[in-house]
Amino acid sequence: MHSRLLFLLSYLVGSQVKVAAKDGRVYTGVLDSINPNDAQSVVLRYAYSLGNGKATPPIDTLVVHGDDCLSISGIAAFADGGARESSRTGFKTDADITKAGNPASARELHR
């Protein structure tokens, strides 16, 4: 179970998550890191708490220990799920060009 939790949390690193603490507070922030020895111990960057309808000022770095953590929720962006169309108008990569046209058609390479 521990390795599965670490695997899932590793996909959330860099994403916005919500961490519910035992004291009733819910912190929202960017998941910066997780403790591999205790998967529920997490570090949030730019964390803030919504309490009584008021947002607290952001905390640069917040460490939530596993003993204080009730839940961690977020949306993971898996590499193979839901490729997005590029909205680039200037510089385009080969992948952007291929998606725009017919991927089966070849194009001549230039020097």
Side-chain angles (χ1 to χ4, degrees), residues 1 37 64-65 73 97:
M1 180 69 175
N37 298 323
V64 181
H65 296 283
S73 61
I97 294 168

Side-chain angles (χ1 to χ4, degrees), residues 70-85:
L70 287 179
S71 69
I72 303 169
S73 61
I75 298 174
F78 293 100
D80 60 348
R84 297 182 187 144
E85 285 293 321

Side-chain angles (χ1 to χ4, degrees), residues 13-87:
V13 172
S15 301
Q16 186 172 359
V17 296
K18 290 185 179 182
V19 176
K22 285 186 178 178
D23 63 1
R25 294 185 199 170
V26 177
Y27 297 100
T28 302
V30 177
L31 183 62
D32 188 54
S33 61
I34 54 177
N35 183 353
N37 298 323
D38 176 19
Q40 285 187 317
S41 294
V42 296
V43 176
L44 297 179
R45 297 293 306 240
Y46 316 114
Y48 62 93
S49 175
L50 289 173
N52 300 330
K54 294 181 180 180
T56 60
I59 303 167
D60 186 48
T61 303
L62 175 70
V63 178
V64 181
H65 296 283
D67 297 339
D68 298 329
C69 183
L70 287 179
S71 69
I72 303 169
S73 61
I75 298 174
F78 293 100
D80 60 348
R84 297 182 187 144
E85 285 293 321
S86 176
S87 62

